Amino acid sequence: MTSSAAILDFWFGPAEPQAFRAEWFEKNPEFDQEIARRFQIEIGQALTGGLAAWEDAPRSALALILLLDQFPRNAYRNTPRAFSGDPRGQQVALLGLERGYDRKLTPLERFFFYLPFEHAEDLGLQEKCVELMLGLETESSQIAAAKAADYAEKHRAIIARFGRFPHRNDILGRESTLEEIEFLQEPGSSF
């Protein structure tokens, strides 16, 4: 089994300073396949409630969040499994916030610690995400350059309007409303 440190090294790179990577937010079949190949066992363990001991420290909790929130989006892109770790990822992130884990991470690592809230189809978690991302932008020019708060606000606006992300409807087998169908025709309506 891969260690939490190896997962973090894969995602962020082993060297400082950490920087945004294009692969994180683009559709890249090679990157998706690499994540599926290298971390399929760990993703499966995380999705089925395993690796609970990783919740007990900041960096291993971040690795668990990546396995629940980011890696399924790559490994299972365009399938319902892409979102299957969201509820547990949100729980791990909330627990980590209560324990102050996020304050022990770099701003870039904290960005990913907070992303489960941005992916939530829950307005309260969306509000929390906007607040946290605004805080990150005030302390990190790198995060501000990535427009973290702007994306958080866009996600929140969609949840405030629809209560869910319409761009997930087809994948999750949900019927779209007429308003959602019209919205999906607009530029920037999906992420």
Side-chain angles (χ1 to χ4, degrees):
M1 185 174 91
T2 303
S3 70
S4 61
I7 289 166
L8 296 177
D9 284 349
F10 167 80
W11 192 252
F12 294 106
E16 294 286 336
Q18 298 173 344
F20 270 86
R21 295 173 55 193
E23 299 94 344
W24 289 339
F25 300 107
E26 64 183 23
K27 292 180 181 177
N28 179 329
E30 292 82 22
F31 189 62
D32 291 352
Q33 290 168 2
E34 182 178 4
I35 289 173
R37 180 183 53 77
R38 288 181 64 174
F39 302 106
Q40 185 171 354
I41 291 170
E42 292 79 6
I43 294 168
Q45 289 176 319
L47 291 175
T48 58
L51 307 177
W54 288 17
E55 295 175 25
D56 295 333
R59 295 189 55 76
S60 59
L62 174 60
L64 182 56
I65 287 168
L66 290 172
L67 286 173
L68 292 165
D69 187 70
Q70 289 300 128
F71 284 22
R73 282 172 163 72
N74 293 95
Y76 309 124
R77 189 179 299 279
N78 298 321
T79 73
R81 290 186 75 191
F83 312 108
S84 59
D86 287 5
R88 184 151 186 253
Q90 293 155 15
Q91 291 172 348
V92 174
L94 284 169
L95 178 64
L97 284 180
E98 288 174 16
R99 295 177 174 176
Y101 288 173
D102 58 318
R103 303 320 257 158
K104 295 179 170 117
L105 302 170
T106 68
L108 185 58
E109 291 168 334
R110 286 178 24 222
F111 172 83
F112 284 97
F113 204 91
Y114 303 153
L115 270 188
F117 306 135
E118 188 167 297
H119 294 149
E121 292 186 319
D122 175 280
L123 189 55
L125 293 179
Q126 289 289 330
E127 296 290 347
K128 181 178 290 299
C129 183
V130 170
E131 175 187 333
L132 293 166
M133 293 296 189
L134 283 168
L136 274 179
E137 282 194 356
T138 61
E139 66 182 81
S140 170
S141 61
Q142 183 183 38
I143 301 296
K147 302 178 184 174
D150 181 54
Y151 277 101
E153 289 170 352
K154 288 178 180 176
H155 282 76
R156 177 185 61 189
I158 292 171
I159 295 302
R161 182 173 173 187
F162 299 108
R164 62 187 187 174
F165 292 112
H167 66 273
R168 294 183 187 175
N169 289 350
D170 282 345
I171 293 169
L172 295 175
R174 302 187 302 207
E175 192 170 330
S176 295
T177 67
L178 199 53
E179 184 182 7
E180 288 174 332
I181 292 168
E182 290 173 3
F183 170 73
L184 288 172
Q185 303 307 310
E186 298 173 14
S189 61
S190 62
F191 302 96

